[in-house]
Structure formats: structure tokens, C-alpha cells
Amino acid sequence: MMIAAILDKARRKAELSVEEIEALLSVSDQEELKALYDCAYFIKEQYVGKIAYFRGIIECSNLCIKDCYYCGIRRSNTKVERFQMDEEEIVREALWAHEAEYGSCVIQSGERRDEAYIALIERAVKRIAEATKGELGITLSLGEQEEATYARWKKAGAHRYLLRIETTNPALYARIHPADHSLEVRMACLAALRRTGYQVGTGVMMGLPGQTLRDLANDILFLKEIDVDMVGMGPYIPHADTPMGMEVPAYDEAQRMAALELGLKMIAVTRIVLRDVNIAAATALQALEYTGREQGLRCGANVIMPNVTETKYRASYQLYDNKPCTDENSSMCRGCLSGRIKGIGETIGFNERGDSPHYRRRTEG
Ligand code: SAM
């Protein structure tokens, strides 16, 4: 089927098949790419508007019990200097985000499931919620946990949770993780998060070795099937000190541009298929090109996560090579991002939590 016909179908709100989604992801002709991005932007304007919401991300620890073959902070990477913020530091950075008029913060870390960590997060979330009178949205991105833990953190004041499925292809999932990391457990965690009442976000990495466009088309259909509220996905970028990174040389310019294009196409097609969800323009897009996240907004994303982590910790939270802004402080991130977003004709939802219309529709009927 011609790309124009598929896009026309999407504009008329018809469901797209896996073959049609794959066809959209395979576009490489410049005019067709423009038509794809324009269609995604048209749908974005209709369903979520031209507002970019900020979530200040606090990377509060790089201690991790997992050993994912792609990730720079995996347990077995002995080159990483490990850190753990204390409660004061986490709360201070969340309050900085609140004062900077970001509507929400995201607390992210490597994975830990011990009681000391669970209680630390619980206390920090409670203090942030109280100090900001519930105004600041609190999203967590702390990996796989027991349902009771998700419930404790929810009760403390968190209301959104991000847990990427990474890929829905079981064979690919098995290739990029050690044998004791399980796709089924991830799926079960997403179900537990939904039961616990969170706004649930998930997503995948694109450009993984051996991943096909059909895999990515299936991933998008999975996001639709489990009825997610938010999508956080980003290009895979090798990290030199990981098993997967060691197998390939660092990306050259052409590979970076190809990874960026695939990342933008995934955002566009996800917007076209899922319509009213929040979609984040991942920081990894900026690692590929300086304006990558703004390009993500132009292709259908509506959320950006400026880093509010204290500068001294940033170099130790390198998930992939060339992670941007590691030598900047939070004010610099706010200033340069705001200017660039206004430059593309969008407004910033300062002081707004920016829940996805999908979540509101799902819960309010
Ligand atoms: N521990 C939590 C979890 O697993 O959800 C949150 C932290 S984890 C580092 C956040 C995300 O980083 C992962 O879901 C993964 O998609 C992404 N990530 C890790 N290594 C990456 C790489 N080399 N390239 C791109 N994204 C990567």
C-alpha cells in the first residue's frame, strides 16, 4: 500500500494493520518522511496540543542488581563509580524542579529491592508530595518491584510509573538480557502497576542488533493493546563497557543519523497509532544530535525530561556513550531547552502536571 494512502487512513481514524505500521516505519524517501512527520504532528495537535510538558529527572542512584547487556550502569560494570543520593538530596532536587515551574519530576535509578531503599524512596516521595502540596507530579522509574512496593510508593504520593518493556520479541529480549531477567516478569510488573492505580508508561529501545521493523511494529501494537497512558522509548546507543557495546565500534556519524531517524519514525508512528497518550522525547535522541529532542516534539512527542540531577553525579549515570548535559547544571538545562522549544513554535506547560488525555479519558469515562 502507498504511504500516502496509509496516512490518509490514519487521519480518518481507521485502525492500521501490523503490515501498514511496518510500512510507515520503513519510509526513507525525504518527501514521504515529511508526510509521515506532518501527519503525526497533525494528530498530536488534535489530541494533545502544541504544549511540551517538562518532567525534571532526578537520577538518584546508579546501584543496580540487574545486569542488562546494553546498560552502562549494569551490575558487572566495575568501571562505574557507584553513588546513592540520600533523602535530603532527592527532596532538594525535586523542590528545585518545582521552583523552576516544572509540573512534574521523575525519580529514576538502577534497580534495588531491599527494604532500606524502598523506605528511602517512600520517605522522599512523601516529603516531596507534602512540601509541594501535591502540586508537583511524581513519576517513578525504579524498575521491577513487588506489587506491595508499588502500592507503598503510590500511597506515599507517586502517581505515574515508567517501566520500559525494552522489546516485546521474546527471543530478542533473551539475547539482550541474562537468563534470569524475564520478559514475563516485566509484563507482570506492568499489570501490577495498572492494578495499583498508577498512570503507566512503557516503551522500547529501537535499533537493537537483530531487531526488525516488524518487531517494532509489534511493539507499537503491544503499547496499544495494554492501553498505556504514556510512552517512553528511545534509540539504543552502545556503551563501550557493556557486553553489547564491546561487540561493535562506537557509532559513526551515519549510524547516529540512522538511529535518530528510526527514533523519530517510532515516535511519529506511535503518535499516529495511539493518538492521545503522552510520548516522551528521550534524552538519547539528544545524544545522537543536539536538537534531537526538539525534533522528537516535531514528530509527535509532547514530553521532555530535563535533567535536574546534581552535576557531580551525572557522569556516573552514563547508560550509553555521549549522554548529553553531563557537565551542565539544572539551570543551564532549563534555559537552553526552553529557548529551543519556543523556537519551534510550542509553548511549555509550566506548573502543569500534564496528565495524558488518554489517562483522563480512561479514568473519567
Ligand atoms: N532501573 C530502571 C528500569 O530498569 O526501568 C530505570 C533505569 S534504566 C537505566 C532506564 C532505561 O535506560 C532502560 O529502560 C533502558 O531502556 C535505557 N537504557 C539502558 N541502556 C541503554 C542504552 N545503551 N541505550 C539506550 N537506552 C538505554
Side-chain angles (χ1 to χ4, degrees), residues 64 66 68 70-73 108-112 141-144 161-166 186 203-205 232 234-239 242 284 317 319-321:
C64 193
K66 303 294 279 293
C68 310
Y70 44 84
C71 184
I73 62 168
Q108 187 181 85
S109 73
E111 205 163 292
R112 276 181 62 184
S141 173
L142 305 169
E144 294 167 8
Y161 204 103
L162 293 173
L163 180 69
R164 283 188 183 172
I165 197 75
E166 315 296 2
R186 287 242 139 183
V204 297
M205 281 182 288
Y236 161 67
I237 303 176
H239 185 296
T242 60
Y317 202 85
L319 308 180
Y320 42 81
D321 290 335

